[in-house]
């Protein structure tokens, strides 16, 4: 065992714990693991996230283990805390230190050192720590990060028994440093913290079942930020949870106060966030304020366009984003759309208040709107390309910002045409990515205003998109009204492209309304109009697929198949997958009609996978319904009933079940009839109920996997040897010369 150093009579200076740490068990365990392998661990996070409390709890745990007697069982295998921290655990609070010259003195005071010589304090520190084995906890070093980093580096180099656990809004950026970014606790831990602190402040506080949702919402509105929750708990002495929730619009003015003796930056949420703001450079503060116009996540391109200007060159934005990340004012998020950033809502609101005080909020909101209007325009073009799936992921990631841009357009009566343009341009997202209800909301709002002179094209586009969305929702009246208005407006303004879209969607409406003859006529006319206008995109190909559907439902498979094969080929050439899925649906319909269940299953499996990837519930539910019919045709009625049941809840998110169409409804009715006959009503209902309970991902996985192969039953064993030989059983070869039918010897 290693020799214990001298001067070990004092084991540390950690303050006693006044209120226990709520939750954070996983974080404490991870910190302990990091301290096992690294001599420098830095906990980073935004102000108020609980860095100080966490590192103190971790330090106390280390001190308690170091104080336990060692049994020596692991001698020679690994170092026990009793050895590693035999000189104690020491806390140095640096938040109040502003002058670099006072940094070393503050550490010396924290370690209980007194030196009246003329030696530099750094020399005193280094000599004291050189032969000791201890944990030094540094809290609140961000205002002197460079000086702290230099001092810690020198002490670690000269003191091999020293380990450092630091807490700050940014790392020290030293070799060997292990970073531990601290996020707000999960919702359950946040609720537990709020309730624990509220009960401590008011012994009469109780959580009722009726009041629990309000408390959950309160935690969510405060981002689960521990400091905010603790300050909110103090307010619950005077306000009910509902009253407090209603007053959160001005959370910085409301959540003041705190306990006596708390550090100044912990006395109010405004102070906690303002502490970080005070430590930022002027360009960092300006970028923080301008980034507050974003909702949810954003990427670097958006930040550079929206936030740059003469006072903030575009070339500086990347470096400033890096600084805000290092200070935990921004979070880096990995998404399907690439690397993105976000602010906690509390941090964003502080920046928004600063932006308002600068008088620049309206201009920044317009720049934000312009960026996302342009982004939607480019994504509409890219939808008809191999980047289609990336576009879907990007739109999903940008939904919060798209909503904000739409709001900005529709708030100003003079810019409603921009809202109509943006809501119409996003047709591919509303219809192609399972956002029909969202799209309907924005389209209805955008079209509430009367047409504006000079912007008829934007309104016409919004009208045909509304007609399309409403048709997919089964709202025939709203769809027809919008499409007729679009058609008439296109004729009046001589807009052949808008006229083609109006005729197309009227044909689509006829298709889902079972008027197949009219659907064929309108869809054929729309295709001619598209060709004359030189239009080719996913909408045009979908028109061709819908024409094929109208022909197939009327029994003209010979006319439908070439149309869908052509669409499939164009889609494969262009990298388009969304429309391809609908073409595969029609091809599977024809394959099943011809008795090719295997081919139909293969086509529908690809169809299901594509529609699920795009979250297109309309295409997905149609494919699953047809796949259920394929499954019963394959002799698997129980599995067919499961698929049938699983498809039912999906229609709740689409609209009217199967559009009320007898043609689209036919596969479901045929499957129900055939599977019901084979299973009986009771077992069919049980299997369908099992399907209804499946999650969407489970359903898709099951549909792609197909029915489980049936085990081959063993052949019945014949009673005679001759019979066994005739049946081909191993080891039953009939002896040569044995008469037919006689047992072998």
């Amino acid at each position: 065992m290693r020799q214990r150093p001298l001067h070990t009579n004092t084991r540390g200076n950690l303050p006693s714990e006044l209120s226990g740490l709520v939750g954070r068990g996983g974080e404490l365990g991870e910190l302990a693991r990091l301290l096992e392998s690294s001599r420098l661990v830095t906990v980073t996070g935004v102000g108020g996230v609980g860095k100080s409390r966490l590192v103190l709890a971790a330090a106390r745990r280390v001190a308690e283990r170091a104080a336990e007697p060692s049994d020596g069982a692991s001698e020679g295998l690994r170092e026990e805390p009793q050895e590693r921290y035999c000189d104690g655990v020491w806390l140095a609070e640096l938040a109040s230190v502003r002058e670099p010259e006072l940094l070393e003195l503050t550490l010396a005071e924290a370690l209980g050192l007194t030196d009246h010589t003329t030696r530099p304090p750094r020399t005193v520190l280094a000599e004291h720590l050189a032969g000791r084995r201890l944990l030094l906890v540094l809290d609140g070093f961000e205002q002197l990060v460079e000086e702290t980093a230099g001092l810690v580096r020198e002490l670690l180099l000269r003191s091999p028994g020293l380990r450092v656990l630091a807490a700050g809004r940014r790392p020290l950026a030293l070799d060997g440093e292990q970073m531990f970014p601290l996020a707000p606790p999960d919702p359950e831990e946040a609720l537990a913290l709020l309730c624990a602190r509220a009960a401590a402040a008011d012994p009469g506080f109780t959580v009722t079942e009726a009041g629990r949702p309000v408390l959950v919402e309160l935690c969510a509105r405060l981002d689960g930020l521990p400091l905010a929750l603790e300050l909110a708990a103090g307010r619950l002495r005077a306000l009910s949870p509902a009253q407090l929730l209603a007053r959160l619009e001005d959370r910085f003015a409301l959540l003041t106060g705190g306990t006596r003796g708390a550090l100044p930056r912990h006395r109010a949420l405004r102070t906690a966030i303002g502490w970080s703001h005070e430590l930022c450079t002027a360009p960092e503060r300006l970028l923080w304020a301008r980034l507050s116009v974003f909702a949810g996540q954003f990427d670097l391109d958006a930040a550079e366009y929206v936030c740059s200007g003469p006072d903030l060159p575009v070339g500086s934005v990347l470096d400033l984003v890096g600084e805000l990340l290092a200070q935990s004012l921004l979070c880096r998020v990995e998404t399907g759309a690439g690397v993105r950033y976000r602010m906690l809502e509390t941090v964003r609101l502080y920046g928004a208040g600063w932006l308002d005080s600068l008088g620049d909020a309206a201009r920044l909101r317009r720049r934000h709107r312009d960026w996302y209007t342009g982004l939607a325009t480019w994504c509409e073009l890219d939808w008809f390309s191999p980047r289609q799936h990336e576009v879907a992921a990007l739109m999903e990631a940008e939904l919060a910002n798209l909503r904000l841009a739409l709001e900005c357009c529709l708030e100003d009566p003079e810019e409603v045409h921009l809202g109509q343009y943006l809501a119409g341009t996003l047709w591919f997202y509303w219809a192609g990515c399972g956002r029909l209800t969202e799209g309907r909301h924005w389209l209805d709002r955008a079209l509430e205003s009367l047409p504006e002179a000079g912007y008829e094209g934007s309104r016409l586009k919004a009208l045909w998109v509304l007609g399309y969305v409403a048709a997919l929702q089964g709202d025939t009246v709203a769809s027809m009204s919008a499409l007729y208005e679009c058609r008439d407006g296109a004729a009046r303004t001589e807009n052949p492209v808008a006229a083609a879209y109006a005729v197309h969607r009227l044909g689509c409406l006829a298709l889902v309304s079972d008027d197949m003859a009219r659907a064929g006529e309108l869809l054929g006319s729309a295709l001619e109009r598209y060709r004359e206008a030189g239009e080719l995109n996913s909408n045009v190909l979908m028109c061709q697929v819908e024409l094929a559907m109208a022909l197939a439902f009327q029994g003209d498979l010979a006319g439908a198949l070439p149309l869908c094969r052509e669409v499939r080929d164009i889609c494969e050439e262009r990298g388009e997958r969304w429309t391809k899925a609908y073409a595969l649906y029609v091809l599977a319909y024809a394959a099943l009609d011809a008795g090719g269940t295997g081919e139909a299953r293969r086509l529908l499996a690809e169809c299901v996978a594509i529609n699920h990837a795009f979250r297109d519930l309309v295409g997905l539910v149609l494919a699953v319904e047809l796949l259920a019919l394929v499954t019963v045709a394959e002799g698997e009625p129980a599995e067919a009933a499961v698929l049938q049941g699983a498809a039912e809840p999906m229609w709740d998110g689409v609209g009217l079940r199967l559009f009320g169409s007898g043609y689209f409804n036919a596969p479901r009715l045929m499957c129900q009839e055939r599977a019901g006959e084979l299973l009986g009503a009771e077992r069919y209902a049980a299997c369908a109920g099992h399907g209804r309970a499946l999650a969407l991902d489970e359903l898709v996985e099951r549909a792609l996997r197909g029915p489980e192969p049936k085990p081959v039953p063993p052949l019945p064993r014949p009673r005679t040897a001759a019979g066994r030989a005739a049946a081909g059983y191993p080891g039953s070869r009939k002896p040569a010369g044995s008469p037919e039918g006689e047992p072998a010897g």
Side-chain angles (χ1 to χ4, degrees):
M1 182 175 290
R2 293 183 177 88
Q3 185 69 33
R4 289 172 61 86
L6 301 175
H7 315 299
T8 59
N9 54 324
T10 304
R11 302 299 297 256
N13 67 338
L14 295 180
S16 58
E17 191 174 30
L18 299 179
S19 58
L21 184 69
V22 178
R24 299 294 201 185
E27 289 89 342
L28 283 173
E30 180 65 11
L31 274 184
R33 187 189 67 79
L34 291 175
L35 283 169
E36 288 274 344
S37 59
S38 176
R39 294 180 59 209
L40 173 59
V41 178
T42 305
V43 178
T44 60
V46 71
V49 79
K51 302 182 297 294
S52 300
R53 188 181 290 272
L54 181 67
V55 296
L56 282 175
R60 289 190 187 97
R61 183 173 288 190
V62 166
E64 290 167 0
R65 293 193 62 195
E68 295 172 357
S70 175
D71 57 8
S74 60
E75 185 172 349
L77 299 177
R78 66 183 179 88
E79 190 179 41
E80 289 293 327
Q82 295 89 339
E83 300 174 80
R84 183 180 299 133
Y85 306 116
C86 54
D87 289 300
V89 181
W90 302 82
L91 169 66
E93 293 184 303
L94 308 178
S96 60
V97 181
R98 291 290 188 272
E99 299 296 325
E101 296 77 14
L102 299 178
L103 179 61
E104 291 129 356
L105 282 175
T106 304
L107 258 67
E109 291 169 0
L111 290 165
L113 300 181
T114 303
D115 186 81
H116 297 289
T117 70
T118 57
R119 293 184 302 168
R122 182 171 296 216
T123 302
V124 175
L125 277 171
E127 290 180 0
H128 174 78
L129 294 172
R132 284 174 168 76
R133 305 170 65 78
L134 58 83
L135 176 65
L136 179 60
V137 181
L138 304 179
D139 186 22
F141 59 82
E142 32 291 287
Q143 74 286 353
L144 294 173
V145 62
E146 295 296 332
E147 293 82 357
T148 304
L151 177 58
V152 168
R153 180 180 182 276
E154 181 176 340
L155 294 178
L156 287 171
L157 287 173
R158 298 180 61 178
S159 311
L162 173 66
R163 289 178 185 250
V164 177
L165 175 60
R169 63 192 178 103
R170 63 184 303 164
L172 291 167
L174 294 175
D175 289 341
E177 181 181 27
Q178 287 283 345
M179 285 176 48
F180 185 84
L182 183 62
D186 63 49
E188 285 298 321
E189 285 192 354
L191 179 60
L193 174 61
L194 176 64
C195 295
R197 298 296 184 254
D202 179 11
F205 176 82
T206 57
V207 181
T208 64
E209 200 60 32
R212 181 183 171 89
V214 178
L215 293 171
V216 170
E217 175 66 14
L218 189 59
C219 292
R221 289 281 298 278
L222 292 174
D223 297 310
L225 205 63
L227 175 59
L229 295 174
E230 296 198 9
L231 294 170
R235 287 292 184 180
L236 288 175
R237 288 177 294 186
L239 298 171
S240 71
Q243 289 174 315
L244 182 57
L245 186 62
R247 290 169 177 259
L248 278 186
E249 290 302 320
D250 189 7
R251 64 179 75 182
F252 297 109
L254 176 69
L255 301 180
T256 58
T259 58
R260 295 182 185 275
L263 289 173
R265 72 181 188 276
H266 286 178
R267 293 296 302 275
L269 188 57
R270 182 185 293 275
T271 308
I273 305 300
W275 172 255
S276 293
H277 192 264
E278 178 185 339
L279 297 172
C280 288
T281 64
E284 290 166 5
R285 293 178 192 174
L286 185 58
L287 181 60
W288 178 353
R290 291 180 177 178
L291 289 176
S292 70
V293 300
F294 290 98
Q297 303 171 0
F298 57 91
D299 63 15
L300 181 62
D301 290 340
E304 288 177 331
Y305 176 86
V306 175
C307 301
S308 63
D311 49 357
L312 199 66
V314 66
S316 69
V317 173
L318 174 58
D319 290 337
L320 292 173
V321 165
E323 287 300 311
L324 294 180
L325 282 168
Q327 298 169 43
S328 304
L329 294 168
L330 282 180
C331 304
R332 185 177 187 271
V333 186
E334 295 282 352
T335 72
V339 175
R340 305 178 65 76
Y341 310 99
R342 65 177 291 269
M343 281 183 174
L344 291 179
E345 182 65 8
T346 306
V347 175
R348 191 194 68 78
L349 285 177
Y350 193 96
W354 188 262
L355 188 64
D356 284 336
S357 70
L358 295 174
D360 206 18
R363 184 183 71 86
L364 264 293
R365 285 201 68 188
R366 288 193 297 271
R367 285 183 68 84
H368 175 277
R369 175 208 64 201
D370 293 345
W371 170 262
Y372 285 100
T373 302
L375 182 67
T377 302
W378 280 109
C379 285
E380 181 187 27
L381 296 174
D382 268 357
W383 182 254
F384 189 54
S385 79
R387 292 189 64 246
Q388 195 174 57
H389 191 71
E390 296 172 38
V391 168
L394 179 59
M395 291 293 96
E396 194 65 27
E398 295 288 13
L399 178 57
N401 283 303
L402 291 169
R403 289 169 174 166
L404 196 61
L406 284 162
E407 281 284 359
C408 181
C409 295
L410 300 178
E411 284 173 356
D412 188 344
E414 295 183 359
E415 296 186 343
V416 170
H417 64 279
L418 290 175
Q420 294 172 348
Y421 171 82
L422 182 53
T425 298
L426 289 169
W427 66 265
F428 62 94
Y429 183 52
W430 310 139
C433 300
R435 292 285 180 180
L436 293 177
T437 304
E438 173 104 13
R440 180 73 181 272
H441 166 78
W442 291 113
L443 290 160
D444 282 338
R445 278 195 58 185
L447 289 166
E448 287 174 356
S449 302
L450 295 174
E452 298 177 62
Y455 299 108
E456 293 85 356
S458 295
R459 181 175 179 84
L460 293 176
K461 185 170 188 176
L463 282 168
W464 73 252
V465 176
L466 173 60
Y468 181 25
V469 169
L472 293 177
Q473 289 182 310
D475 189 345
T476 304
V477 174
S479 177
M480 192 172 294
S481 173
L483 292 172
Y484 279 142
E485 183 181 348
C486 179
R487 186 192 63 181
D488 296 345
R492 185 176 62 254
T493 59
E494 298 182 351
N495 188 328
V497 174
Y501 280 101
V503 173
H504 172 189
R505 295 311 170 190
L506 283 169
C508 178
L509 186 60
L511 179 71
V512 299
S513 302
D514 282 355
D515 190 347
M516 295 302 157
R518 179 167 171 73
E521 177 186 340
L522 290 170
L523 292 168
S525 172
L527 279 177
E528 289 298 324
R529 292 169 183 260
Y530 282 140
R531 292 189 183 104
E532 291 173 4
E535 195 85 348
L536 178 62
N537 54 34
S538 298
N539 276 303
V540 176
L541 295 182
M542 187 65 78
C543 181
Q544 189 163 322
V545 171
E546 289 162 350
L547 176 59
M549 287 181 177
L551 296 174
F553 288 153
Q554 295 177 86
D556 185 7
L557 290 175
L561 286 174
L563 291 172
C564 284
R565 287 172 182 150
E566 183 182 18
V567 169
R568 180 189 60 191
D569 294 343
I570 294 174
C571 286
E572 290 176 352
E573 177 187 340
R574 297 296 188 102
E576 212 278 4
R577 299 176 65 218
W578 176 64
T579 308
K580 178 185 176 183
Y582 285 87
L584 295 177
Y585 172 83
V586 180
L587 293 174
Y589 183 95
L592 178 61
D593 185 74
T597 55
E599 175 68 4
R601 173 172 291 281
R602 183 187 65 79
L603 293 167
L604 288 171
E606 186 177 358
C607 183
V608 166
I610 293 172
N611 285 317
H612 183 53
F614 286 113
R615 297 180 67 252
D616 182 356
L617 288 184
V618 174
L620 181 59
V621 72
L622 289 174
V624 170
E625 295 275 17
L626 188 57
L627 185 59
L629 182 58
V630 171
T631 304
V632 76
E634 292 174 328
E636 298 289 346
E639 182 66 15
V642 171
L643 293 175
Q644 192 73 61
E648 292 179 14
M650 280 193 282
W651 285 104
D652 296 336
V654 174
L656 183 64
R657 184 182 300 278
L658 294 158
F659 319 117
S661 163
Y663 290 99
F664 284 102
N665 206 27
R668 181 181 69 85
L669 294 177
M670 292 172 64
C671 176
Q672 185 175 354
E673 180 182 356
R674 295 180 185 178
E677 290 176 354
L678 294 168
L679 297 173
E682 186 175 347
R683 191 176 175 211
Y684 178 89
C687 292
H690 177 69
R692 281 190 292 272
L694 290 175
L696 188 59
D697 288 343
E698 293 174 325
L699 162 63
V700 171
E701 181 184 355
R702 189 164 185 149
L704 296 179
R705 185 177 66 236
E708 296 293 336
K710 293 180 178 178
V712 179
L715 294 171
R717 187 174 179 84
R719 295 181 180 178
T720 65
R724 289 196 296 272
Y729 271 80
S732 58
R733 184 172 55 86
K734 185 172 62 176
S738 297
E740 194 70 18
E742 288 193 11

